[in-house]
Structure formats: structure tokens, C-alpha cells
Amino acid sequence: MSKTASNAALLIQFYRDMLLIRRFEERAGQLYGMGLIGGFCHLYIGQEAVVVGMQAAIEPGDQVITAYRDHGHMLAAGMEPDGVMAELTGRSGGYSRGKGGSMHMFSREKNFYGGHGIVGAQVPLGTGLAFANRYRGNDRVCLTYFGDGAANQGQVYESFNMAAVWKLPVVYVIENNQYAMGTAIQRSTSETHLHKRGVSFNIPGEEVDGMDVEAVFAAGRKAVEHCRRGEGPYILEMKTYRYRGHSMSDPAKYRSKEEVQEMREKHDPIEGLRARMLAAGAIDEAGLKAIDKEIKDVVAQSAEFAQMSPEPDPKELWTDVYA
Amino acid sequence: MSIPILMPALSPTMEEGTLAKWLVKEGQSVKAGDVIAEIETDKATMEVEAVDEGVVARLLVAEGTEGVKVNTPIAELEGEGAAVAAPPKAGPVAAAMPAAPRAAAAPALAPQSKGDAATPSDEIPPGTAMQDQTVREALRDAMAEEMRRDNAVFLMGEEVGQYQGAYKISQGLLEEFGPKRVIDTPITEQGFAGLGVGASFAGLKPIVEFMTWNFAMQAIDQIVNSAAKTLYMAGGQMGSPIVFRGPNGAAARVAAQHSQNYAAWYAHVPGLKVVAPYFAADAKGLLKAAIRDPNPVIFLENEIVYGKTFPVPVMDDFVLPIGKARVVKPGTDITLVSFSVSMGLIIEAAAELAKDGIDAEIIDLRSLRPLDTATVIASVKKTNRLVVVEEGWPICSISSEIAAQVQGEAFDWLDAPVMRVTGKDVPMPYAANLEKLALPSLDDVMAAARAALYR
């Protein structure tokens, strides 16, 4: 593996990928406000370092699956912003031709397996993807993401048990953003250090600063290599934070403005990396400006595409029910 | 005094078994809990324990005797104070066994309940040799053939491997295919159902066995939300080629939580296919089709039906289409429709009606989604009368769906209202008499048929 976190090009890639997610999500929020996106729409703003660091830690052919706060995962996996945004607007140019929406998108090509709307359901599914790797005897690894809310679902532990018994190559990435919808983790969870949840299954786990993309990348590589060596599952608890509400309709009155402000100002993953890159001389202000401009254009283009793409043909109602 | 030891029922549906081995001799003293014999059922070998203290006075059934009916006296125990050497006393045995002929018939090798003559002649080339097989064997053969054909096919579930299947459906598969492809799971229905769906997303073809469909309610979210809907939600990019199978519906005396029929539940869901065969040939041909199908298939078996024997075509690759009903017997006067275990009832009912000169057409739906209403409607246009029989509850059931479709498409052909015979709208009771009342009976079917015939 040639990737090292000290590599300036890699840091710039992290920055670009995180910024794309941030700007994309901000635009999605706007489009939602304009009534162009409907239903549930869960924004990833604040958590960008987690998917960007983890995606960099895997290889082509490794799989990714997550729940419904999934736009960031798809962009990190290399799915086209146009297709993701057009799915959000329910248009034929979307990844699911408008039939999935924000919570249900997939890309076989990019090994992104959804996009699942039921809290915790993606955990056995991801474990099954890892099972398929082992069944086929390849060395692929599956990243299975879930949140601190899903960590209280029974099927997560059913999965842990099978993954450990059968030594399946799955990294369980727990995105602990500290609120299961509106319930603070302390109010819902007896042991709030979720990386310990694998102890009784003999699954190693560690806590990671999920606001620091380099820390995520380093932990991710270690976990992925553990799986690839055939040593079974691994748990990474990413301590992270979402700035927005649970979904667009959430006023987030369960936490103080000061708390959010503190995270934004002192722990923002993008600002943090930006400062570190400048300090290290990895990039200069002009270089950052160029990236900002590039991302802004990509996102503007995706919003344009998502509004111009036609609605699905009424015939689509009846297709894809059966293969 | 002499205490008869009776052939025990070792499972809810056991009617007879083989007395494999005596572990005690005549004259031997036993305590309650001592293992005295081994009995083989169609599912397992089980140990029989003495329930009382005493001396084994007589062994009434020889080792190796097959087809010993449940409740047949197999030995006599002399209780405390009784003279061991005393000659056998017929009295207490007879008293304990009012059905004397059963005792007398005990050593006779009773054949397994024979399937009725109907064979799927339209789907089997003329001249094909047929062999008698149980539904259980047909299901096993279907899985084995598909596993030989395609390495992506594997079986997982509770006790499918080393135990050879809780209902012995997977007998021999572990030996042939090894633990990589015949996978014993922990008791974790939601987990392994979801794991199977995930594996199917990656292109494998899992057969997930539920020990019974009752336990699949723990997993129904994965079946409906993950397996059935993904193809649609993904705009056709990926789906779930998976089979969920296991026994469905009432077994015998296992009460409310273990006696539920899920046919209508799954038939309700777009994206699923649902199959519920009765005959062994259909079980085989449809299970093979289910395994090859690129969609998630719910395969509803039945514990009562597992042991039934029917002819199965001897063919290299016998695959039947999902979604086609079969006219088991043509008739002109009334149409009787059912599926799975209740087929037995309408076949019996047709025979009863024939005694009154009524020629009933018998239709086996076989598949519930897609539901072959065209075959039913064509039949109704011929007979003008319809009775639909199912074991499940009546509200929003398979029969209510058929009634709705028939009134919509064959209204002018109906000479009587569509009659339905279903399980009663109550949780399954345990008591034998109540259980019998809760299930559809031959009398229920005959009453419905006579009502439809106005006679």
C-alpha cells in the first residue's frame, strides 16, 4: 500500500472529498427547502471525516453499506453527484431512476449496497456481504456503517455473533454522533462507549476521533487489514457530530446552540484539516480557493441536473418489481 | 399391578415409529427416568424413558419393528409388590387401550399415507418413469440437485447441518456438500435472514431455512423491507435471489404461537414470490425453480405433508413454473380450490361428492404469488360454483382474494356465492377438541360445497 496520511496529495484528496460532501449537503438542504426534495432527508454535515477517511482505507472491490444518512457515503464511494442529487429530487436521472429517494440508493459499479431505511437492518446485510466474500474465498472487506441509535438494535448483536463465529471480513463503523434522532446517548444507552460492544463477542474495538480524517484513515487501515488477513470482524467507534437536525424536519431542540457552536468552531473536520495543511505547507490559500471553486461548480451542476432531469416515466411504476 | 408402557409420540405429528432397540431386558428393574428403548421417527432417533419404577415384565414389541403406532403397548412394567413371574395380565392393557385392534396391528408395517392418484401429467412428458417419494425426500433432492448444479447455492439455518434438519429435510446434505455450504446458524432469525439477503445482494443464492415460519416473524423486516423491495428501490440495479423455506401452518397440538399460516402475509407483498405445494413432484419442481429464480421466493412447506408419499417423475432436471395452478382432477359441477395441506381435504371432499354423483373439479394453486386466478376463473366459467379452502385465518386471506377476483371477472357465470372454508378466526387452541374445531374439516368443506350446489 502506497497510501500514507502524511502524503500531501492524500490530504488534499481528503479535503476535496469532505468539502464535496459538505457543499452537496448544504445544497440538498436548500433544494429541500424549495420543495424540490421531498420526504425524509438526513444530512451528513459535520460527519464528513468518517466516510472520507474510511473510504481511503479500503481498496477497489471492497463493499460499503449504510443506513439512511447516506449521501456522504455515496459521494465518498465515487458515485456521481448528479445521479445522487437527481435521486433526491425524484428524477429519472437518479441512481434508482427516482424510485428510491434519499434513503435508498445503490451502485453495483461502486460497490455501494445502500442506502437502507430501517435502523439497524443494514448490519446483517453488510455481514452477509462479508459472508459472500468469505464464501468466495476472495480478500474483499465490507464496511458496515451504523449509528449510535442502531447500536441498540438486537440484530446488530446477532450479526456480531455470526461475524465473530465465522470470522467474516467486516468492519463495523459505528458513527456515534451522540444523538439517536433526538435522544442523547446517555439517555438511551447503558454503556456509552460503543467500541466495547464487541467485547462479549471477542471482536476488537477502538474509539476514534471521527472529526479528524487522518485519525479515521489510520484506524480504518488497521481495521481493514485485520479483516483482510482473515482475523474476523473489527469495530471502530467514530466519535462524531452532526450539525443539522436528525432530518430536515427536526428542529433539534434537544441540544443547545452552544453545544453545536462549540463543535463547529473547535472540531470541524474540514476547517481542522485546512488549518493543518496550511501550517504544514501542503497547500496554499490559492490552492484551497481553486478546490473550493471546483467543488462549488460540481455541486451547482448537480443541482442543475437534478432539476432538469425529467420525472420518471409513469411506466416506471410497474418496472423492477420482479427481475 | 402391571403398568403398560405405550409407544410414545415424540413429536407433534408423529403417528408411528420404529422400535429400534430395547435397552432393558425382561426381568430388569428400572427407575423413573431410566432409558429403556430407542425409537426412530421420520425425523430423529429418540430415547424413551421409564416413567415409573418397577420391573420390566414383558417386552411386547420386538426390536426392529417398524410402523409401531403411537399408544400401542410396547412393554409391561410390574409395579412394586407385583410378582414379576406372574403371567401377563391382559386386563389392564385392554383397559388402557380401548382401541384393541390398534394394539393387535402394531407390528404390521403400515405404509405412509399414500398420495392420491393425481399426477401432473401435463407437465411431465408421457412415458416418464415415476417413483414414490415423500415430500421430505423430494425437497431434499431438489436442494441437492441445485447445489450440485450451482456453487453459489448454499443452505443455512438452525440445525440444517449436523442435526440433519429439525424436520430432516436437509438429511445427507452436510455429508455431500460440507460445512461451507450447509451452514448451521445460531438461533438468530433476524440476523441470519438479513445475512442471507446481504449475501444474495453479492450474487450468492442462499436457501434460508426457518425451522418453522412462526419464527420468521423475527425476520419479517429483512424479508419484506430488504429482500422484497431492494430491486425496486435500486431501479433494477440489484435484487435478492434468495429462497426462504420451512414448514408453515398448524402442525398438531403445538398451540397458538407455533400454529400459524403465513400464506396471506407473504402473498400480500409485491417483490416476493410465494409457493405452497402439496404434492411431492410439485415440491421438487417448484423448489428447484425457486432456487433458480432471481427474485426472493417464500417457500411454504407443511409439517403434516412432509411424510406423505406421492409419485415423482424420474427426470434429470424436473423444474416447474412458479405461478401456475394445476387442475388435479377435471370436473363439471363445482370447483374446489386449495393449496398445501388443505388439498387433502378437497380431494377427500371430491370423493364424497362423487358418491352423490357430483363431479367436482379440483385445483391446486401451488403458487400464491403470482396467483393463477386465470385457471380458477376458467374453471368457474365451466362449473359455475366455487369453494375455496385454506387453513389460514379468513380475514384478508387467499380465499378472500380469490373471491374478489372471481366476482370481478366471472360474476355472470356464478350460480351461487363463492364459498370459503378457512381456519377459524381465533389463535390456535391447544386442547385437542378445540384445535380440531379451529381447523377446516371435511364436514366444513362438504357443507360449503352443498351450499354452493343448493343441495
Side-chain angles (χ1 to χ4, degrees):
Chain A
M1 248 206 198
S2 61
K3 285 176 187 167
T4 62
S6 60
N7 183 323
L10 185 62
L11 293 183
I12 292 169
Q13 182 201 315
F14 287 163
Y15 180 79
R16 178 184 280 116
D17 292 349
M18 290 196 293
L19 195 65
L20 171 64
I21 296 170
R22 177 73 54 93
R23 297 285 172 264
F24 182 96
E25 292 289 69
E26 288 166 353
R27 183 58 69 95
Q30 284 173 10
L31 295 183
Y32 194 94
M34 293 160 67
L36 290 163
I37 297 173
F40 294 133
C41 185
H42 309 85
L43 301 181
Y44 197 64
I45 296 171
Q47 302 182 205
E48 296 91 344
V50 177
V51 292
V52 168
M54 286 307 300
Q55 191 72 30
I58 61 175
E59 299 290 323
D62 291 339
Q63 303 124 324
V64 174
I65 190 167
T66 188
Y68 44 78
R69 192 180 306 285
D70 55 356
H71 312 161
H73 302 69
M74 295 186 281
L75 296 172
M79 290 166 65
E80 294 295 333
D82 286 11
V84 177
M85 196 71 94
E87 189 61 37
L88 297 185
T89 53
R91 305 302 174 91
S92 59
Y95 267 96
S96 299
R97 298 208 297 279
K99 300 202 287 196
S102 166
M103 300 185 285
H104 317 110
M105 267 183 262
F106 308 81
S107 170
R108 196 53 110 198
E109 185 200 347
K110 301 291 182 188
N111 284 302
F112 180 74
Y113 286 85
H116 295 272
I118 306 297
V119 175
Q122 78 279 16
V123 181
L125 296 171
T127 308
L129 292 165
F131 174 91
N133 296 338
R134 189 166 157 76
Y135 187 89
R136 292 192 165 116
N138 63 32
D139 68 346
R140 303 276 60 108
V141 174
C142 179
L143 301 185
T144 299
Y145 290 88
F146 58 99
D148 47 294
N152 290 326
Q153 286 280 26
Q155 58 185 322
V156 169
Y157 301 94
E158 300 186 21
S159 301
F160 281 6
N161 183 45
M162 289 185 289
V165 169
W166 298 330
K167 286 205 179 307
L168 302 181
V170 51
V171 182
Y172 295 110
V173 186
I174 307 177
E175 298 194 69
N176 181 0
N177 67 18
Q178 299 163 55
Y179 293 90
M181 194 168 157
T183 303
I185 187 165
Q186 297 81 2
R187 294 174 56 220
S188 63
T189 304
S190 61
E191 170 54 76
T192 57
H193 294 94
L194 300 177
H195 61 281
K196 295 182 185 172
R197 288 288 180 93
V199 168
S200 59
F201 303 92
N202 295 318
I203 303 177
E206 63 186 272
E207 183 180 297
V208 181
D209 179 359
M211 305 301 274
D212 177 350
V213 66
E214 293 171 82
V216 170
F217 175 64
R221 282 191 61 181
K222 183 177 153 196
V224 168
E225 288 312 305
H226 171 94
C227 292
R228 219 184 289 289
R229 282 194 305 269
E231 292 175 25
Y234 206 97
I235 294 171
L236 294 176
E237 178 191 1
M238 302 290 176
K239 296 297 287 286
T240 185
Y241 201 81
R242 70 171 146 76
Y243 299 169
R244 297 294 186 90
H246 167 72
S247 66
M248 290 302 297
S249 54
D250 171 20
K253 288 191 172 156
Y254 41 82
R255 59 187 186 186
S256 67
K257 282 207 168 64
E258 291 73 26
E259 178 184 308
V260 181
Q261 210 51 35
E262 156 97 10
M263 291 303 292
R264 278 177 177 274
E265 284 170 8
K266 300 195 175 148
H267 301 283
D268 186 74
I270 298 173
E271 289 306 316
L273 178 63
R274 182 185 172 104
R276 288 200 301 279
M277 287 198 302
L278 285 172
I283 196 167
D284 59 11
E285 288 287 356
L288 289 168
K289 272 217 172 76
I291 294 174
D292 292 356
K293 167 85 170 57
E294 172 202 331
I295 295 298
K296 201 176 160 191
D297 291 347
V298 168
V299 170
Q301 155 62 27
S302 74
E304 175 76 11
F305 177 80
Q307 293 170 70
M308 298 309 290
S309 178
E311 290 189 319
D313 189 293
K315 281 191 291 232
E316 284 282 353
L317 180 63
W318 298 102
T319 60
D320 306 321
V321 180
Y322 292 100
Chain B
M1 60 173 274
S2 168
I3 305 160
I5 298 173
L6 307 180
M7 181 72 168
L10 299 171
S11 78
T13 53
M14 175 176 163
E15 291 176 356
E16 59 186 33
T18 298
L19 205 166
K21 196 171 180 189
W22 280 114
L23 301 172
V24 292
K25 296 195 188 84
E26 290 184 354
Q28 189 175 333
S29 296
V30 293
K31 296 192 301 293
D34 285 355
V35 178
I36 59 170
E38 285 180 1
I39 288 178
E40 278 173 17
T41 69
D42 52 2
K43 290 185 220 157
T45 299
M46 311 280 283
E47 293 176 340
V48 181
E49 294 176 0
V51 291
D52 213 335
E53 195 173 309
V55 174
V56 178
R58 297 214 324 143
L59 301 179
L60 301 173
V61 175
E63 274 187 10
T65 305
E66 296 178 3
V68 183
K69 297 278 186 197
V70 165
N71 282 338
T72 308
I74 55 174
E76 279 176 12
L77 204 60
E78 288 296 338
E80 50 185 282
V84 177
K89 296 170 188 167
V93 176
M97 287 297 301
R102 270 179 95 165
L109 208 159
Q112 301 206 53
S113 50
K114 265 284 187 195
D116 310 82
T119 60
S121 60
D122 49 334
E123 289 158 342
I124 299 166
T128 304
M130 303 294 281
Q131 68 172 4
D132 277 357
Q133 265 196 321
T134 61
V135 170
R136 171 180 285 111
E137 292 162 341
L139 292 168
R140 190 263 323 275
D141 287 357
M143 288 193 284
E145 286 177 22
E146 292 306 299
M147 288 176 78
R148 282 175 210 132
R149 183 177 171 269
D150 184 353
N151 277 329
V153 179
F154 67 93
L155 172 67
M156 73 188 314
E158 293 154 8
E159 310 292 4
V160 298
Q162 289 191 14
Y163 195 91
Q164 304 285 312
Y167 294 96
K168 287 280 175 287
I169 306 303
S170 53
Q171 205 153 25
L173 295 184
L174 176 67
E175 287 67 27
E176 180 172 353
F177 299 102
K180 186 190 152 193
R181 298 180 68 196
V182 181
I183 299 155
D184 284 321
T185 65
I187 301 173
T188 190
E189 279 83 7
Q190 189 178 22
F192 69 71
L195 188 148
V197 175
S200 75
F201 287 168
L204 297 183
K205 308 209 74 176
I207 306 167
V208 172
E209 174 174 314
F210 291 115
M211 192 180 289
T212 82
W213 276 97
N214 301 289
F215 311 146
M217 267 208 279
Q218 300 261 12
I220 199 166
D221 173 64
Q222 290 290 0
I223 296 170
V224 175
N225 272 317
S226 301
K229 297 178 183 172
T230 293
L231 183 77
Y232 195 81
M233 296 193 301
Q237 273 191 79
M238 56 186 249
S240 182
I242 191 169
V243 176
F244 296 103
R245 50 156 289 272
N248 174 54
R253 306 297 309 283
V254 290
Q257 292 179 333
H258 286 72
S259 309
Q260 187 169 337
N261 194 303
Y262 290 90
W265 288 54
Y266 292 106
H268 185 64
V269 181
L272 295 179
K273 293 187 177 181
V274 183
V275 179
Y278 176 70
F279 295 101
D282 292 333
K284 184 173 184 185
L286 288 168
L287 184 52
K288 282 167 67 77
I291 294 166
R292 292 182 196 185
D293 201 285
N295 299 287
V297 181
I298 304 296
F299 201 92
L300 303 173
E301 300 160 8
N302 185 280
E303 190 184 333
I304 310 278
V305 174
Y306 280 149
K308 289 188 186 296
T309 302
F310 300 102
V312 175
V314 182
M315 287 168 66
D316 285 345
D317 199 20
F318 177 64
V319 185
L320 289 171
I322 293 174
K324 282 187 75 91
R326 187 162 56 81
V327 178
V328 174
K329 172 195 158 313
T332 53
D333 300 334
I334 186 169
T335 301
L336 306 178
V337 172
S338 191
F339 59 94
S340 188
V341 65
S342 312
M343 283 303 298
L345 277 182
I346 65 170
I347 290 167
E348 271 186 82
E352 286 296 310
L353 291 169
K355 291 177 190 165
D356 295 341
I358 297 159
D359 184 16
E361 179 146 310
I362 301 174
I363 293 177
D364 182 356
L365 292 170
R366 303 193 292 187
S367 295
L368 305 175
R369 177 180 267 274
L371 185 62
D372 183 3
T373 45
T375 293
V376 177
I377 287 161
S379 177
V380 168
K381 287 183 176 175
K382 184 170 67 168
T383 66
N384 314 113
R385 296 163 206 278
L386 175 62
V387 178
V388 189
V389 181
E390 68 182 314
E391 186 197 77
W393 289 316
I395 311 296
C396 304
S397 64
I398 301 295
S399 59
S400 49
E401 176 61 26
I402 289 176
Q405 296 210 25
V406 167
Q407 66 81 24
E409 295 186 45
F411 188 79
D412 290 338
W413 282 268
L414 284 170
D415 285 347
V418 175
M419 302 299 295
R420 302 195 294 145
V421 178
T422 68
K424 306 305 183 292
D425 199 18
V426 295
M428 185 63 72
Y430 168 70
N433 64 328
L434 297 182
E435 183 188 58
K436 207 171 163 194
L437 289 170
L439 289 165
S441 67
L442 181 60
D443 286 348
D444 294 339
V445 179
M446 292 303 292
R450 293 208 165 99
L453 288 155
Y454 298 109
R455 47 194 285 184

